[in-house]
Amino acid sequence: MNQSAPEGLHGRTSFPYKGRKVRGSDTKEALVAARRPDSGGVEGPVITLLANHFVVKFDPSLKIYHYNVEISPSPSKEVARMIKQKLVENNSGLLSGAHPAYDGRKNIYSPVEFQNDKLEFFISLPIPTTKLGLPFGELNCFPQKQNQLKVFRINIRHVSKFDGKDLRSYLSKEGDDWIPLPQDYLHALDVVLREGPMEKCIPVGRSFYSSSMGGTKEIGGGAIGWRGFFQSLRPTQQGLALNVDFSISAFHESIGVILYLQKRLDFLRDLSQRKTRSLSDEERKEVEKALRNIRVFVCHRETVQRYRVHGLTEEATENLYFPDRGGKNLRLVDYFKDHYNYDIQFRNLPCLQISRSKPCYLPMELCMICEGQKFLGKLSDDQTARILKMGCQRPKERKAIIDGIMRGPVGPTSGSQAEEFKLQVSREMTRLNGRILQPPKLKLGDGGHIRDITPSRRDRQWNLLDSHVFQGTRIERWALISFGGTPDQKSNIPKFINQLSQRCEQLGIFLNKSTIVSPQFESTQVLSNVYLLESKLKKIHRAASNNLRLLICVMEKKHKGYADLKRIAETSVGVVSQCCLYPNLGKLSSQFLANLALKINAKVGGCTVALYNSLPSQIPRLLRLDEPVIFMGADVTHPHPLDDFSPSVAAVVGSMNWPAANKYVSRMRSQTHRQEIIQDLAAMVGELLDDFYQEVNKLPKRIIFFRDGVSESQFYKVLKEELQAVKEACARFPGYKPPITFAVVQKRHHTRLFPFEIDPSSMQNQPFDENIPPGTVVDTVITHPKEFDFYLCSHWGVKGTSRPTHYHVLWDENHFTSDELQKLVYNLCYTFVRCTKPVSLVPPAYYAHLAAYRGRLYLERSESIACMRSSPTISRPAPPKATPLPTLSENIKKLMFYC
């Protein structure tokens, strides 16, 4: 590495890289994302595409004035918008006639300078005030018939002014590589384009939702699916572009709290018929968990007041008293009868507590859920299926929806703000050329009639008819355990064993026709009792003389005890397990048995397929047979949004064979709650390098590292800390400094590609209703202006619209060309062990995702952690130290048990 141009870099920027110096120099090394090595790839026939990127033209000479805004008392987001609107209407002169853009928090952007650098305003709005200082705040504002005017003080202070010349330079081909992205100006334009939708829709992250967009649908459990759209301003090779996509999200249904609980919680399904019902302690915790932080309004009087639920009262409603203004104790049910002539029906239920610290109570039956609140809980399987169905449109329909959003009354161009700031947003999708990479020839097992195959079908699937897997295993000693099932279903087990064994044989896998111990039949309840489950599994293991290669578990239906079963099998007993469901054993299709066989084979050490032409023969400039390469994948999985307690789980996997590179060993660790950077990465990578050395007898000559699950805002933090961790791991081996390529893999983005064909019958340009073919790659027009990224759709989209995977190379000491890296990634997508088709995500990243999910399962005990968080806390505590994951058993550590 020389001083002027550190390896892996094609330029410099202002991101400092602390902690390491350039050799022979006292200056700190600058860290910057790898630059595109060429003008894009050239391999593969060209395909014309449309992308949901809309060009935004801006006037670089226009100055934007940035002001800081302070509002006191601090308002909600909705009230802040109302204040801004009234401020602009009433003070046109002081604001120089401008219609500024407001981000809803502390920033205002204007295309003209205000009259003064510091301005102070007082705005009054008809907002009810709740005197929570009184012991029964809610009831103390019952008699108020009129909303009182609430006064807000607004202080506006000039912060800076900037123009778009730096952004124009950054986006131009001639722009100097030294120029960092002018984030301030880009952020200001982003706020401007969000202003219109912000006034008409409910913002959630970077998306906007509105019930006026139609298509709202109940998804069960008190949730409703709303249609909306995502928008994001992006610097691309064609200039600034607005990425707009259709999106769906779950919201709480705006219904009465009693009806909501009936829908949300199974044990309260008949609540309206059982008005005298009370709650057990366990049930009360579940109800509190379901309602906490939800906003409600009351329906027994006219008011615009909204309340947030902080918890439930300890006492039932009929036992609640509160002191009136004179200090006299009033019974809550009597108060409602006297003041509102209302008899409370559900007297044995607790009330909603709507203050963090004071006793402020609302009877549940008089409360409604406010509209437009995002459903933050974990969606059930049924809810997830329904919401996915809502967002599952074929390409033609999705394109039409996005075009409709761009022209519609609530879309990104619906406000007047863009004109104020001299922005022109195209209403047409971007037309561009992609290329279709050719599928690799694949090598199958020597025992079959067909020993190699080139996937030639349009969907690039291949068939294992008359073929063996590339490496089949011998499973002599295995057992089967069943949980639940009807007598008829259980009687199918011998047939299932026989047919699975036959299907394995056809695929070149040996599965003994007899289990080592006779099949064990247990009730489903065993899955709910972790201690009993462990004793049953250990008993089978002992009966097999502690030598068991595989345990097949057949279940009546999906069960939360699955998590315990996997944890016990893999950390306590030391056996690989394969679960399946009784309903699938009824039909026993050849496809189902083959899928099961492929998973079993991979888990016990075999593999499905290998590339016929090895990677060194395909990328000879960089790769050699005698210089092994390791492919690594890393991912972090976080708990669902309402869980502010559980640890995050990080996983790293590494390939253990060369040149096949189709067997991966994993390492998993728990870490601080919601921590995105992998804390223990150096140790995990070091262990994988040790394992690699044991398998291949050499350390890898190159490291190709794929990092999943990182948002763009975290790119540089991840690169700075995790690249250093990988280098630290290498430094443990004397004199070992392999070149590293570090690429981020993103599935959660909103770029969609649509095929663009010319319909010969109409002679008009018509998008056909079909997904882009596997192998479609795009690395021009909509990609980064300078950095090394590309979109690759490696799979065939059966449902909905295909989402290409975005690969962004942050560091490249191996100096790949675009063609070389794209071919490498696409080839690897054909080597995934679980199926006979190319997958949408490069396998190292896919396996890391599966391994991280497995680590999360280890932490999910059957007993709910709700008891740990039952008491409502006044302020959110710091997350506790992460519970370490249980240690994997030695005999499965090196297997792909997680796939």
Side-chain angles (χ1 to χ4, degrees):
M1 199 180 275
N2 61 43
Q3 276 175 251
S4 59
E7 271 191 86
L9 301 187
H10 302 268
R12 293 189 293 169
T13 193
S14 55
F15 293 99
Y17 186 29
K18 295 172 185 166
R20 218 155 51 87
K21 295 176 183 175
V22 180
R23 225 175 290 155
S25 162
D26 285 338
T27 58
K28 293 272 174 76
E29 186 177 328
L31 187 75
V32 61
R35 293 309 191 227
R36 196 177 301 281
D38 43 41
S39 56
V42 293
E43 284 193 15
V46 170
I47 177 173
T48 308
L49 303 166
L50 290 171
N52 58 341
H53 285 220
F54 299 84
V55 174
V56 178
K57 288 184 178 161
F58 64 99
D59 178 353
S61 63
L62 176 80
K63 285 188 170 56
I64 293 181
Y65 297 85
H66 176 201
Y67 293 88
N68 175 271
V69 58
E70 296 278 349
I71 305 174
S72 61
S74 186
S76 67
K77 285 178 187 171
E78 295 91 336
V79 172
R81 288 246 144 241
M82 289 159 65
I83 292 169
K84 182 258 175 182
Q85 262 171 320
K86 194 164 182 188
L87 179 77
V88 173
E89 283 165 18
N90 296 357
N91 300 281
S92 182
L94 284 169
L95 302 181
S96 308
H99 286 272
Y102 175 45
D103 71 352
R105 293 185 292 275
K106 295 203 167 196
N107 300 293
I108 278 183
Y109 298 97
S110 170
V112 292
E113 198 169 6
F114 295 163
Q115 291 300 305
N116 294 307
D117 281 356
K118 284 188 179 178
L119 295 167
E120 184 173 74
F121 303 94
F122 290 90
I123 299 280
S124 53
L125 289 173
I127 292 168
T129 53
T130 310
K131 301 187 180 92
L132 289 179
L134 294 160
F136 198 46
E138 158 55 13
L139 295 181
N140 274 305
C141 59
F142 279 173
Q144 292 169 205
K145 296 295 176 202
Q146 294 300 314
N147 286 326
Q148 294 181 353
L149 286 177
K150 187 169 183 178
V151 179
F152 294 90
R153 185 172 75 175
I154 297 99
N155 286 100
I156 291 178
R157 177 175 55 83
H158 181 250
V159 178
S160 61
K161 67 177 177 183
F162 32 71
D163 60 31
K165 287 172 185 163
D166 281 351
L167 183 58
R168 180 182 59 187
S169 298
Y170 182 87
L171 293 168
S172 71
K173 294 278 190 289
E174 298 75 44
D176 197 320
D177 264 358
W178 292 41
I179 300 172
L181 176 65
Q183 291 284 6
D184 287 353
Y185 196 77
L186 195 64
H187 178 69
L189 295 186
D190 192 49
V191 171
V192 170
L193 289 171
R194 291 170 70 80
E195 182 80 4
M198 194 78 97
E199 286 175 356
K200 305 177 188 102
C201 304
I202 291 160
V204 177
R206 301 204 65 80
S207 297
F208 297 97
Y209 296 91
S210 168
S211 51
S212 70
M213 287 185 74
T216 57
K217 203 170 187 179
E218 276 190 51
I219 59 167
I224 189 164
W226 277 21
R227 294 171 77 143
F229 63 94
F230 166 94
Q231 75 172 64
S232 170
L233 196 59
R234 307 181 62 77
T236 67
Q237 288 189 47
Q238 66 174 337
L240 267 193
L242 193 66
N243 176 204
V244 177
D245 191 24
F246 171 58
S247 65
I248 297 281
S249 196
F251 287 78
H252 293 285
E253 211 177 333
S254 183
I255 50 178
V257 167
I258 296 289
L259 179 56
Y260 176 80
L261 289 175
Q262 285 183 253
K263 290 185 173 195
R264 178 92 191 256
L265 300 170
D266 276 348
F267 61 84
L268 292 179
R269 196 176 290 165
D270 59 351
L271 184 57
S272 53
Q273 280 84 55
R274 297 178 55 201
K275 293 183 176 174
T276 56
R277 192 191 198 289
S278 58
L279 299 179
S280 68
D281 284 352
E282 210 48 53
E283 288 172 339
R284 193 181 158 282
K285 282 174 192 165
E286 286 296 310
V287 171
E288 189 165 61
K289 192 173 155 191
L291 293 176
R292 186 176 291 147
N293 288 323
I294 287 179
R295 290 197 318 266
V296 296
F297 64 92
V298 292
C299 51
H300 62 282
R301 61 191 174 89
E302 282 185 34
T303 175
V304 294
Q305 181 81 354
R306 302 288 181 259
Y307 308 96
R308 189 177 293 279
V309 178
H310 287 287
L312 301 180
T313 57
E314 294 289 337
E315 294 287 335
T317 303
E318 69 171 2
N319 300 328
L320 283 173
Y321 289 81
F322 67 97
D324 68 1
R325 285 183 173 148
K328 181 182 163 197
N329 251 12
L330 295 177
R331 189 173 178 224
L332 187 136
V333 288
D334 297 340
Y335 178 91
F336 273 87
K337 180 67 179 163
D338 297 345
H339 275 71
Y340 299 100
N341 194 26
Y342 182 80
D343 281 312
I344 291 178
Q345 308 287 303
F346 296 88
R347 297 184 170 211
N348 292 327
L349 292 181
C351 275
L352 304 180
Q353 166 71 11
I354 50 124
S355 163
R356 282 183 188 277
S357 49
K358 304 271 184 353
C360 303
Y361 316 132
L362 285 176
M364 284 188 197
E365 65 204 76
L366 296 177
C367 295
M368 298 277 292
I369 309 270
C370 298
E371 189 179 70
Q373 299 180 77
K374 184 159 166 55
F375 191 95
L376 291 175
K378 194 174 181 181
L379 293 175
S380 69
D381 288 351
D382 283 348
Q383 287 175 319
T384 304
R386 288 185 191 123
I387 207 117
L388 287 175
K389 195 174 178 186
M390 278 184 76
C392 188
Q393 283 76 26
R394 294 298 290 168
K396 198 171 181 179
E397 188 186 348
R398 193 180 196 95
K399 182 187 179 298
I401 292 171
I402 295 168
D403 287 338
I405 289 164
M406 289 305 290
R407 295 176 171 86
V410 298
T413 57
S414 59
S416 59
Q417 237 69 30
E419 286 170 33
E420 284 261 326
F421 288 81
K422 298 186 182 174
L423 294 177
Q424 291 171 286
V425 184
S426 168
R427 304 288 202 281
E428 301 297 323
M429 284 194 181
T430 297
R431 188 172 165 180
L432 70 154
N433 285 339
R435 292 169 291 110
I436 304 171
L437 303 181
Q438 294 311 295
K441 191 175 181 182
L442 304 174
K443 199 191 306 187
L444 301 167
D446 288 339
H449 292 300
I450 298 169
R451 297 179 186 187
D452 58 74
I453 192 168
T454 302
S456 54
R457 279 172 42 167
R458 271 191 328 152
D459 59 7
R460 299 298 184 229
Q461 286 199 36
W462 64 94
N463 205 317
L464 285 176
L465 204 66
D466 298 328
S467 312
H468 282 185
V469 292
F470 178 66
Q471 187 186 350
T473 47
R474 285 189 69 81
I475 305 165
E476 300 273 3
R477 304 174 66 83
W478 69 283
L480 184 143
I481 186 167
S482 150
F483 299 99
T486 64
D488 271 0
Q489 286 176 325
K490 291 181 199 173
S491 68
N492 276 331
I493 290 292
K495 180 183 161 198
F496 164 63
I497 291 173
N498 188 41
Q499 291 200 9
L500 179 61
S501 178
Q502 280 179 21
R503 193 72 187 94
C504 282
E505 193 181 339
Q506 290 162 9
L507 291 167
I509 303 159
F510 175 80
L511 180 70
N512 196 331
K513 280 190 163 56
S514 309
T515 53
I516 198 80
V517 289
S518 59
Q520 305 292 297
F521 294 94
E522 305 292 349
S523 74
T524 301
Q525 277 67 44
V526 172
L527 283 170
S528 302
N529 184 329
V530 65
Y531 304 108
L532 188 55
L533 179 62
E534 184 158 2
S535 74
K536 298 282 184 189
L537 297 188
K538 285 186 169 172
K539 187 179 171 189
I540 291 174
H541 198 229
R542 279 197 304 276
S545 312
N546 293 336
N547 178 8
L548 196 59
R549 193 120 189 245
L550 169 73
L551 177 65
I552 291 183
C553 310
V554 188
M555 297 179 182
E556 188 174 58
K557 58 183 177 188
K558 286 186 178 179
H559 193 285
K560 61 184 180 182
Y562 170 83
D564 283 317
L565 190 145
K566 289 292 180 186
R567 177 178 50 81
I568 293 162
E570 289 155 9
T571 64
S572 181
V573 179
V575 65
V576 164
S577 57
Q578 177 60 54
C579 295
C580 51
L581 299 174
Y582 267 119
N584 294 326
L585 266 54
K587 25 191 188 297
L588 279 185
S589 70
S590 174
Q591 185 64 61
F592 168 73
L593 291 168
N595 289 346
L596 211 55
L598 293 185
K599 284 186 76 173
I600 289 169
N601 186 52
K603 285 179 182 184
V604 296
C607 65
T608 306
V609 72
L611 298 170
Y612 188 86
N613 299 309
S614 68
L615 292 171
S617 69
Q618 295 196 62
I619 307 172
R621 189 183 69 86
L622 286 181
L623 308 181
R624 293 179 49 168
L625 273 172
D626 59 346
E627 293 182 347
V629 175
I630 189 169
F631 297 102
M632 289 186 169
D635 192 15
V636 179
T637 166
H638 303 293
H640 66 83
L642 280 185
D643 182 337
D644 51 13
F645 185 92
S646 305
S648 292
V649 176
V652 185
V653 302
S655 58
M656 290 292 134
N657 55 346
W658 177 257
N662 55 9
K663 290 185 183 179
Y664 287 78
V665 162
S666 67
R667 288 294 182 277
M668 302 173 284
R669 301 276 199 283
S670 62
Q671 59 183 43
T672 308
H673 175 78
R674 300 209 187 286
Q675 165 78 40
E676 185 51 60
I677 303 296
I678 301 176
Q679 288 169 338
D680 236 355
L681 186 60
M684 294 156 90
V685 169
E687 288 174 27
L688 291 172
L689 291 173
D690 269 333
D691 287 353
F692 188 93
Y693 187 79
Q694 286 173 31
E695 295 293 326
V696 184
N697 294 320
K698 283 182 183 176
L699 282 169
K701 179 76 175 170
R702 302 174 191 277
I703 295 176
I704 320 287
F705 195 99
F706 294 100
R707 176 67 157 88
D708 196 4
V710 179
S711 61
E712 284 176 354
S713 60
Q714 298 234 287
F715 275 10
Y716 294 100
K717 188 172 168 58
V718 164
L719 178 61
K720 190 173 95 171
E721 298 189 28
E722 295 189 358
L723 178 69
Q724 179 65 7
V726 175
K727 294 195 171 194
E728 265 176 41
C730 295
R732 294 175 189 178
F733 303 89
Y736 180 54
K737 289 187 177 175
I740 297 165
T741 296
F742 190 108
V744 167
V745 185
Q746 291 173 302
K747 281 287 284 179
R748 289 187 178 181
H749 62 81
H750 288 269
T751 295
R752 295 291 182 278
L753 300 170
F754 304 91
F756 186 84
E757 302 274 352
I758 292 174
D759 185 352
S761 61
S762 65
M763 291 310 290
Q764 287 182 340
N765 293 337
Q766 283 289 324
F768 277 39
D769 199 16
E770 196 161 88
N771 272 309
I772 53 176
T776 301
V777 67
V778 169
D779 57 8
T780 58
V781 186
I782 59 169
T783 46
H784 196 281
K786 299 177 190 302
E787 295 175 7
F788 188 5
D789 70 325
F790 58 90
Y791 292 94
L792 170 64
C793 182
S794 47
H795 70 296
W796 174 254
V798 182
K799 283 184 176 180
T801 304
S802 291
R803 187 199 306 247
T805 300
H806 186 220
Y807 295 89
H808 200 126
V809 182
L810 298 186
W811 189 264
D812 185 22
E813 292 171 346
N814 288 297
H815 302 300
F816 280 99
T817 64
S818 294
D819 277 326
E820 285 169 342
L821 190 58
Q822 289 161 12
K823 181 192 275 188
L824 171 72
V825 169
Y826 187 47
N827 273 250
L828 286 175
C829 288
Y830 281 80
T831 65
F832 190 66
V833 291
R834 292 204 313 199
C835 55
T836 55
K837 59 185 175 186
V839 287
S840 62
L841 191 64
V842 69
Y846 203 141
Y847 294 138
H849 176 77
L850 293 175
Y853 175 70
R854 180 55 54 85
R856 157 96 32 242
L857 279 187
Y858 289 170
L859 292 173
E860 283 178 10
R861 298 290 188 272
S862 290
E863 302 86 48
S864 167
I865 62 159
C867 54
M868 293 170 154
R869 8 183 351 221
S870 57
S871 57
T873 48
I874 286 174
S875 62
R876 179 181 279 208
K881 198 169 179 349
T883 313
L885 296 181
T887 310
L888 283 175
S889 173
E890 278 304 316
N891 51 334
I892 68 153
K893 215 173 186 176
K894 293 190 177 180
L895 297 174
M896 293 177 70
F897 61 90
Y898 51 83
C899 73

